[in-house]
Amino acid sequence: MISLREVWRRHRRKILFGAGILGSGYFLYKLYDSRKKQLLDLEEVLAGERENEEIVKAHMQTHFENIQRIANTTTMPHAMHYLSSRIVEELDLTHLTERLMRGKGQPNTLTSAEKLELWDQLKILSFTRMLVSVWAMTILSLYIRVQVNILGRHLYIDTARGLGSSQLLDDADLIDVEDQQKFLASADFLSSHGMPALIYNMQAAATEVLKGKQLRDFFDNAALHETIIQILDTFMIMGSPHQWVGYLMPEDTRLYKISNTSGNEDMIVPDFTKFDQLMVEARTVISSAEFVGVVNVSLKMVVRALVEEFGLQAGGSTAASGIPLAKLVPRVAQMGPLLLEEPSKNRFIQIIRDSPDVELFFTLLYANMPNS
């Protein structure tokens, strides 16, 4: 009978080799099992993070819809009503029309030169009033959307912070209700403070373009469209670049310097509040080339729709040649209320809202705002 010693002596190498294989296999199994558990744990963590991010995204979408509702039902109606009252107050044409009516009823009260002077003033101020309404309505509707998108983004960050999405957030302070209200109320700056400068420059642009237009000149849709665009283009290039930003926001040197400072995160600004931060973000957006592009697209859409309202080629004897400027001026003067109608009934505001270019701009703006 062969003893164990003899077996070991004869097969020692085979036994050691087999034991090595078994030991290595067991080690590899334990390593695989450990790795498998680590992968399962990692998958659970990633699944939890994905679920959390989906919750954050859902809240983000909810906020985006809410800020659109705020803009459409609260901020815009108030701002448009105030804007309308200010334009009527600053560009009241009653005194001109009354003098012309008296002159018509009492021929000897006005000389021919005085009548021409009054008609020239009425022509320029009527176009000024209409185009101030066009520009202010367009820019204000876009600016308020910028405001509510900025505010909505900050509110989203606060919500995400509450859900623990550390990947998207930092330790920035919450925006209190007072700062939110102040920021939204700043949309009234155009009507409260920016109106005189806006009217002055728009009137200068209208005077420049209309100086060669005679009351007997005939206007059809094309001529009216060309005249309006020329006035707006002249207005937009007047003064320094982005001069029109001053109509919308206060010319605060401190805010301007900060908004134009880049790559200097260590700069300390005394008493720089959350409201100041919101205003800086708003100025940065409306000063961007992308925003200017959206403004130009929106103005062109509004002007096309406005010219259609006149219907200068909608059949009848006017189809070929339009109407004299003298008959067009009173209709131009009456367009202000239509342009500044309550937002839910305002065709022009709806045209801006429905524009794919505008929608894309605000979608990208909301998605690409800094997480702070």
Side-chain angles (χ1 to χ4, degrees):
M1 185 176 188
I2 301 175
S3 65
L4 290 174
R5 183 187 296 275
E6 183 65 20
V7 172
W8 169 255
R9 186 180 65 79
R10 290 181 179 180
H11 303 287
R12 180 175 59 183
R13 290 183 178 180
K14 294 179 180 180
I15 293 172
L16 290 176
F17 180 73
I21 291 176
L22 289 174
S24 298
Y26 180 75
F27 173 76
L28 290 174
Y29 167 76
K30 295 297 289 183
L31 180 62
Y32 166 77
D33 188 57
S34 175
R35 290 293 186 186
K36 184 178 180 181
K37 289 181 178 180
Q38 290 178 358
L39 289 173
L40 290 174
D41 292 341
L42 179 59
E43 287 180 0
E44 289 181 4
V45 171
L46 292 175
E49 289 183 354
R50 283 194 297 268
E51 182 179 358
N52 195 47
E53 293 303 320
E54 288 301 318
I55 294 174
V56 171
K57 288 178 181 179
H59 278 269
M60 182 177 181
Q61 182 62 32
T62 300
H63 276 307
F64 191 80
E65 293 171 356
N66 285 341
I67 61 179
Q68 298 304 323
R69 179 181 55 80
I70 292 171
N72 296 341
T73 64
T74 304
T75 311
M76 273 295 292
H78 164 77
M80 208 56 57
H81 176 74
Y82 187 29
L83 176 65
S84 179
S85 65
R86 288 288 293 121
I87 291 176
V88 170
E89 179 183 344
E90 293 288 337
L91 287 167
D92 185 6
L93 307 179
T94 306
H95 66 290
L96 293 176
T97 56
E98 286 180 349
R99 287 190 64 188
L100 285 169
M101 290 299 292
R102 284 198 302 268
K104 184 177 181 180
Q106 304 172 7
N108 296 327
T109 58
L110 291 174
T111 66
S112 297
E114 289 173 334
K115 288 181 182 179
L116 286 175
E117 177 63 24
L118 287 173
W119 269 105
D120 193 59
Q121 291 180 35
L122 184 61
K123 173 186 70 176
I124 292 172
L125 290 179
S126 295
F127 273 91
T128 298
R129 178 169 165 168
M130 182 178 71
L131 290 178
V132 164
S133 299
V134 166
W135 190 88
M137 178 273 296
T138 302
I139 204 78
L140 195 58
S141 63
L142 294 172
Y143 178 57
I144 289 173
R145 267 189 88 171
V146 168
Q147 285 186 306
V148 294
N149 272 265
I150 290 173
L151 187 56
R153 180 66 176 181
H154 281 274
L155 294 175
Y156 152 68
I157 289 171
D158 294 345
T159 299
R161 179 184 292 108
L163 294 171
S165 181
S166 59
Q167 180 180 352
L168 296 176
L169 309 170
D170 57 17
D171 295 324
D173 296 330
L174 302 181
I175 300 176
D176 60 33
V177 175
E178 182 179 356
D179 281 336
Q180 294 177 33
Q181 293 175 343
K182 283 173 60 180
F183 182 55
L184 291 175
S186 69
D188 286 337
F189 181 87
L190 172 62
S191 299
S192 300
H193 304 284
M195 191 60 63
L198 168 59
I199 291 174
Y200 178 85
N201 288 321
M202 189 67 76
Q203 184 174 339
T207 301
E208 176 66 24
V209 173
L210 294 172
K211 64 183 180 183
K213 311 291 184 183
Q214 304 299 320
L215 292 173
R216 62 178 178 272
D217 293 345
F218 275 74
F219 273 67
D220 57 10
N221 282 357
L224 179 60
H225 183 274
E226 181 183 2
T227 300
I228 292 173
I229 292 297
Q230 284 179 350
I231 294 173
L232 288 173
D233 287 345
T234 302
F235 167 77
M236 290 296 285
I237 63 174
M238 294 177 68
S240 59
H242 302 299
Q243 175 175 296
W244 53 268
V245 174
Y247 308 145
L248 289 172
M249 303 184 70
E251 292 291 349
D252 187 319
T253 304
R254 178 173 64 110
L255 295 183
Y256 177 78
K257 288 182 178 178
I258 294 170
S259 67
N260 283 275
T261 300
S262 59
N264 188 5
E265 299 178 356
D266 297 328
M267 184 176 62
I268 299 175
V269 181
D271 301 321
F272 189 68
T273 66
K274 271 292 182 179
F275 169 72
D276 296 328
Q277 179 184 344
L278 293 170
M279 294 294 284
V280 166
E281 291 181 21
R283 179 180 286 276
T284 300
V285 172
I286 67 175
S287 299
S288 67
E290 292 79 7
F291 184 78
V292 174
V294 168
V295 169
N296 290 333
V297 168
S298 299
L299 284 172
K300 289 177 181 177
M301 292 189 300
V302 169
V303 170
R304 282 197 298 269
L306 178 63
V307 170
E308 291 174 3
E309 289 289 334
F310 283 89
L312 300 184
Q313 292 178 309
S317 61
T318 63
S321 57
I323 62 175
L325 180 56
K327 291 186 177 181
L328 180 62
V329 166
R331 297 177 62 181
V332 169
Q334 295 169 3
M335 280 295 170
L338 181 65
L339 287 159
L340 302 176
E341 195 174 13
E342 200 277 326
S344 64
K345 303 175 183 178
N346 194 312
R347 176 193 174 201
F348 304 101
I349 291 177
Q350 194 60 49
I351 287 172
I352 296 172
R353 289 176 182 169
D354 292 342
S355 166
D357 294 307
V358 173
E359 193 62 35
L360 177 60
F361 170 78
F362 282 104
T363 299
L364 294 175
L365 171 65
Y366 193 70
N368 295 327
M369 282 180 182
N371 300 314
S372 58

